[in-house]
């Protein structure tokens, strides 16, 4: 066989293989029997004609995936700033005042608190551990806050403290996933992705969902807590940095000017357009949108992520240090981002895991230091939003993934070198402010030692339902079709906490 014949045979084989690829089951069903097979398959994919199959198609425009959209009903909030303290801060040293627990300090833990319970590290019979902080009532509302948060205590009349949050996860990664995606397993979209999918963004030159991290590490669940899961990838969180380039690879490579980069993106998108015409895959249009967004971000992101031009009183107010990576810098950036129209800003601050294995992990040393890092800036955020007229339309959420035990951790049954508390899934505290939330209020109660919920139990799904409600969404109807059924952030649970809504 000659070289030309071999070449022609190779081309024929490639063409045959390409042709066979087109004859998938879906293609066969579409082309046969006047398309009735495709209609049957389509009904299975969209939920067997349940009537909810159009929910995602009404919201998702693949050509303009981030275009601003109206919610189901007028929401009181337009954007969210979620401050997550990764590692789980101790509610017993911050918000949940338990004088009865102080009386039990140093005593053996009662068997009733241990029987049938699972703990991450506690073994045997631990000692009870009283609160290490001093508590006082503050503001006109008289809410209890510890001396670990002196700045925050001045704004209690603007916040609603939820003392009865619970979870069924006692390890960090699954608990963080549950809190932010509605599932303890990987694969679900994050809350920020759901919000951006539903509302789009008011600024087409910036991402709708921005993530900022501090504390030296990402959360234990990794980047899945800001992933888009089965939603189109355009809705995943964009991680920015408070030092160096705000987004990796945002600058043009050496020797490539902005015009050349634009020409490259145009060429890539031309290929993507041809691919879309051939396969009609909406994800291809999302990819085109992402390339165009990346180009716009080259100008917009460095400008909005620059805090150097903020006045001196703002830097003093937040405790910021331009050029350094810090929680304070990220909080100020969060305010700037929502001011520019970003829908959802997620802050993760690592280092709140206080087991007592070291000074940094002690509730009377390390926890105090962590509080000093966040107290001033998170207080400044509420005051700054308020003075700019943005607090009523910006929902601020603060909390961890679970709480800490009323007993002292005794890892492997041994006394720890420092005072610490183990993971506690049954009860912890979070707070919300702005976005139509009733200030100066508390919701729910724990028992006299802070071990179990006594009143007003709140699950992660309830928090998610409340956040979506403030943005204008009925969490039960806000769905996306995937694998033959409509999925939602709150899965099959959740109720709005109406008592904290103004």
């Amino acid at each position: 066989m000659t070289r030309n014949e071999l070449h022609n045979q190779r081309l024929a084989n490639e063409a045959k293989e390409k042709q066979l690829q087109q004859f998938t089951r879906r293609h066969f069903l579409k082309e046969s029997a006047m398309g009735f097979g495709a209609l049957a398959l389509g009904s299975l994919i969209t939920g067997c004609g349940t009537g909810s199959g159009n929910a995602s198609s009404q919201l998702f425009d693949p050509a303009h995936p981030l275009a601003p959209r109206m919610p189901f009903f007028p929401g009181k909030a337009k954007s969210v700033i979620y401050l997550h303290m990764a590692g789980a801060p101790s509610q017993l040293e911050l918000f949940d005042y338990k004088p009865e627990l102080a009386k039990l300090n140093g005593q053996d833990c009662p068997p009733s608190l241990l029987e049938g319970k699972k703990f991450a590290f506690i073994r045997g019979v631990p000692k009870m551990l009283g609160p290490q902080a001093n508590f006082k009532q503050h503001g006109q509302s008289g809410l209890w806050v510890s001396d670990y948060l002196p700045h925050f205590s001045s704004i209690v009349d603007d916040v609603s403290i939820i003392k009865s949050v619970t979870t069924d996860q006692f390890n960090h990664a699954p608990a963080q996933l549950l809190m932010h995606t509605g599932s303890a397993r990987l694969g679900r979209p994050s809350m920020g992705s759901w919000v951006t999918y539903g509302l789009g963004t008011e600024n087409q030159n910036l991402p709708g969902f921005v993530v900022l991290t501090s504390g030296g590490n990402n959360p234990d669940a990794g980047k899945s807590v800001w992933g888009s899961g089965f939603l189109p990838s355009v809705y995943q969180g964009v991680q920015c940095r408070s030092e160096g380039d705000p987004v990796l690879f945002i600058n043009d490579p050496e020797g490539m000017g902005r015009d050349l980069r634009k020409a490259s993106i145009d060429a890539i998108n031309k290929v993507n357009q041809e691919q879309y015409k051939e396969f009609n895959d909406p994800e291809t249009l999302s990819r085109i949108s992402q390339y165009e967004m990346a180009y716009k971000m080259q100008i917009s992101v460095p400008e909005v992520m620059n805090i150097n031009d903020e006045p001196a009183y703002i830097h003093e107010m937040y405790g910021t240090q331009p050029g350094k990576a810090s929680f304070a810098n990220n909080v100020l950036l969060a305010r700037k981002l929502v001011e520019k129209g970003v829908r959802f800003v997620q802050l993760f601050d690592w280092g709140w895991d206080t087991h007592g294995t070291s000074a940094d992990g002690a509730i009377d040393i390390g926890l105090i230091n962590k509080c000093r890092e966040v107290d001033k800036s998170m207080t400044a955020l509420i005051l700054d939003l308020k003075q700019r007229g943005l607090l009523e339309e910006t929902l601020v959420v603060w909390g961890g993934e679970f709480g800490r035990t009323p007993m002292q951790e005794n890892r492997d049954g041994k006394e720890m070198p420092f005072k610490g508390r183990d993971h506690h899934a049954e009860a912890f505290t979070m707070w919300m402010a702005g976005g139509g939330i009733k200030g100066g209020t508390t919701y729910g109660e724990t028992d006299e030692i802070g071990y179990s919920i006594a009143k007003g139990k709140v699950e992660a799904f309830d928090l998610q339902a409340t956040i979506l409600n403030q943005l204008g969404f009925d969490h039960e109807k806000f769905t996306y079709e995937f694998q033959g059924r409509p999925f939602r952030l709150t899965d099959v649970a959740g109720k709005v906490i109406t008592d904290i809504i103004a």
Side-chain angles (χ1 to χ4, degrees), residues 263-447:
S264 300
I265 290 174
D266 289 343
I268 293 170
N269 282 345
K270 185 176 181 180
V271 174
N272 285 330
Q273 288 283 3
E274 294 299 319
Q275 186 177 24
Y276 177 72
K277 290 178 183 177
E278 183 175 359
F279 297 103
N280 202 32
D281 183 358
E283 187 69 12
T284 305
L285 292 182
S286 294
R287 190 186 312 140
I288 292 171
S289 177
Q290 286 172 307
Y291 274 111
E292 292 173 347
M293 170 64 73
Y295 181 73
K296 296 174 183 177
M297 284 169 57
Q298 281 191 291
I299 298 298
S300 301
V301 170
E303 178 184 353
V304 74
M305 298 293 288
N306 177 24
I307 64 173
N308 292 312
D309 56 355
E310 291 289 325
Y313 83 92
I314 288 292
H315 289 297
E316 171 58 29
M317 187 178 182
Y318 282 85
T320 48
Q321 294 179 293
K324 294 185 177 181
S326 70
F327 178 80
N329 285 10
N330 286 349
V331 174
L332 177 53
L333 288 172
R335 187 269 288 164
K336 293 189 67 175
L337 287 164
V338 298
E339 201 172 26
K340 293 293 186 178
V342 174
R343 289 291 189 194
F344 202 101
V345 185
Q346 177 78 67
L347 275 66
F348 290 98
D349 186 60
W350 187 86
W352 293 84
D353 200 14
T354 48
H355 287 284
T357 55
S358 64
D360 286 343
I363 57 173
D364 56 346
I365 303 174
L367 180 59
I368 293 176
N369 292 332
K370 287 301 297 182
C371 287
R372 286 172 180 162
E373 291 177 10
V374 306
D375 181 33
K376 189 174 185 178
S377 53
M378 70 185 191
T379 303
L381 175 64
I382 303 301
L383 295 173
D384 198 12
L385 289 171
K386 192 173 183 179
Q387 71 182 5
R388 294 169 186 269
L390 293 173
L391 185 59
E392 276 306 304
E393 62 184 42
T394 305
L395 177 61
V396 182
V397 184
W398 185 99
E401 60 267 30
F402 43 64
R404 315 304 298 198
T405 57
M407 61 282 285
Q408 184 169 355
E409 183 172 325
N410 63 337
R411 188 168 298 196
D412 298 323
K414 300 176 183 178
E415 185 176 347
M416 306 299 289
F418 297 90
K419 293 177 181 178
R421 302 184 187 274
D422 200 357
H423 305 169
H424 192 54
E426 293 200 27
F428 61 107
T429 300
M430 297 181 64
W431 59 260
M432 294 185 184
I437 295 297
K438 191 185 303 180
T441 61
T442 60
Y443 181 84
E445 297 176 9
T446 55
D447 60 27

